[in-house]
Amino acid sequence: MQLAERMKVIRGSVIRDVAVEIANRDNPNLIKLSGGLPDEKFFPMKELEEAAKKIFADEALFGEALQYGLTKGDTELINLIIERLNRNEGMNITFDNIIICTGCQQGISMTCTALLNDGQTILIEKPSYLDGLNAALPYSPNIVGVETDEYGIRIDKLEEALNEHPDTRLIYVIPNFQNPTGKAWPLERRKEFLELLKKYPQVNVLEDNPYGEIRFRGEHVPCLKALDTTGQVVYLGSFSKIMAPGLRIAYIVSDSKELIDRIEEIKEGLDLQCNQFSQVHVREYMKMYDLDEHVKKLCGVYKERCDALIEMMENEFPVGVTFTIPDGGLFLYVTCPEDFDTGKMLKDALDAEVSYIPGASFNADGSGKNTMRLNFSANDIPALKEGIRRLAGVFKAEMAKRQ
């Protein structure tokens, strides 16, 4: 079969490749520090069950949940999301500013379709969640990483990149508990970022915020969209990490009604609409229960797990291995000595019955071979501690080879 030329640039997810390798091993004793999964034990199962019962018990509601719906999304659900974003995030949006999408991944895809011409530049943090930008690959973008520091993207390096790449159309950032590093930009860095962007009105920002509500240390910091005065920020939010990823309900927010309307047309051609039952299910849950209280419980659980992981790493990791200490989210980032290659080490780790995601997969230029991403949300504390003990053994064995 003759495939389209664009298929030459399409690639699969490195993270899912690791998942396949793990699945092929079929080892029930393997401790997975590799995934980006919330723990299903803390999905609001009883509450979701009750919301589903309400749907099944009401003939009109049941019919609505199984019928075609609007491409833009369920009107009542959209209004609930608007109220929550305006209340919790300090936004000031209306019905014209939002559309429901099937996960943030579809949100990235449709936004890139609407905003990117073939071959234009996308600037990203270095490292960043490159698998998310797989959605942009059909447009053969020039993806360029911008150096970061402990506070997020470096503004001086961003300005250099914008001047070096005048065709830049999009900047993709995760300011809250970034994937893979777990870092969160402080307020001042966010303001500096938006101030710089005023010089480049042709550039849009895609703010991916699936982890922002999972803050378990420090005070809430407004998202970029809440601070945006120029309308350059397009915001992605999701229920995947705070409710359940299998529902696949997320949303795109923009000041531009034109952009939202055109994305609606794109979505019409893709899938007509998001899963109607999931939309009604989420809507009824939000009407029946306090989602903010559920998120608060999640934050408590993930804080305990993150703290336990960090304590174990401090005690077990050899000198020369460092790591980030996040204030929220699901991840932290480990940096090994320069001559380590965590991609090659992965086989040894899997043999030791522990997994991670090699760091080179998060860098557009293939750098970061001595780094890795670890997840602390998907395992209980005993499993996390044992996983770190095993991983520390892999590090020590690798160091012994160099002596």
Side-chain angles (χ1 to χ4, degrees), residues 369-380:
K369 289 184 177 180
N370 63 321
T371 64
M372 65 177 64
R373 187 192 77 180
L374 300 183
N375 167 269
F376 53 78
S377 61
N379 290 284
D380 61 22

Side-chain angles (χ1 to χ4, degrees), residues 125-351:
E125 299 161 279
K126 183 180 177 181
S128 185
Y129 181 52
L130 276 177
D131 280 356
L133 285 180
N134 282 356
L137 292 181
Y139 311 105
S140 300
N142 176 34
I143 299 175
V144 177
V146 179
E147 294 292 337
T148 58
D149 59 22
E150 62 182 307
Y151 303 114
I153 199 164
R154 284 182 52 178
I155 304 303
D156 58 336
K157 294 297 183 181
L158 177 61
E159 187 164 20
E160 286 178 15
L162 285 166
N163 292 332
E164 185 177 343
H165 301 280
D167 67 333
T168 297
R169 181 66 168 171
L170 199 62
I171 304 175
Y172 173 76
V173 292
I174 311 171
N176 287 321
F177 318 122
Q178 195 235 27
N179 183 359
T181 65
K183 295 176 183 177
W185 303 8
L187 180 60
E188 191 57 37
R189 179 63 57 92
R190 298 175 192 225
K191 290 180 177 179
E192 290 172 358
F193 175 86
L194 292 171
E195 191 62 32
L196 174 65
L197 263 291
K198 291 178 181 179
K199 299 181 185 178
Y200 304 89
Q202 78 281 8
V203 177
N204 298 286
V205 177
L206 187 53
E207 179 183 17
D208 197 359
N209 192 33
Y211 317 107
E213 294 196 55
I214 312 295
R215 173 178 284 278
F216 44 70
R217 270 190 284 270
E219 296 298 318
H220 172 76
V221 180
C223 61
L224 295 177
K225 183 70 232 162
L227 300 169
D228 178 27
T229 59
T230 61
Q232 288 169 271
V233 178
V234 180
Y235 178 92
L236 298 176
S238 172
F239 290 95
S240 290
K241 304 303 186 293
I242 60 171
M243 193 178 292
L247 296 167
R248 306 310 299 137
I249 300 298
Y251 43 91
I252 307 169
V253 174
S254 172
D255 285 3
S256 171
K257 181 180 184 298
E258 180 187 14
L259 175 63
I260 295 297
D261 288 347
R262 298 314 302 267
I263 287 176
E264 184 177 350
E265 292 169 353
I266 293 167
K267 186 167 176 60
E268 242 176 43
L270 287 176
D271 61 7
L272 293 182
Q273 64 171 108
C274 290
N275 183 301
Q276 182 70 8
F277 190 93
S278 286
Q279 291 185 78
V280 175
H281 197 186
V282 171
R283 180 190 85 196
E284 294 306 311
Y285 170 94
M286 292 179 73
K287 290 164 62 178
M288 295 169 67
Y289 300 102
D290 188 338
L291 179 56
D292 291 348
E293 278 301 309
H294 173 67
V295 171
K296 193 179 299 184
K297 292 176 186 175
L298 281 182
C299 290
V301 171
Y302 292 158
K303 179 183 186 301
E304 289 178 357
R305 293 183 176 187
C306 182
D307 289 348
L309 190 77
I310 289 169
E311 181 182 8
M312 192 70 178
M313 291 164 70
E314 289 173 340
N315 292 334
E316 293 289 331
F317 279 3
V319 173
V321 178
T322 61
F323 46 88
T324 58
I325 299 178
D327 292 329
L330 310 183
F331 309 109
L332 54 77
Y333 203 57
V334 177
T335 302
C336 302
E338 285 288 340
D339 56 350
F340 275 40
D341 187 330
T342 59
K344 294 179 179 178
M345 279 170 47
L346 182 59
K347 180 183 181 300
D348 295 335
L350 293 175
D351 289 344

Side-chain angles (χ1 to χ4, degrees), residues 109-133:
S109 175
M110 295 192 299
T111 302
C112 288
T113 298
L115 296 178
L116 274 184
N117 293 317
D118 286 1
Q120 288 184 317
T121 297
I122 302 176
L123 301 182
I124 64 172
E125 299 161 279
K126 183 180 177 181
S128 185
Y129 181 52
L130 276 177
D131 280 356
L133 285 180

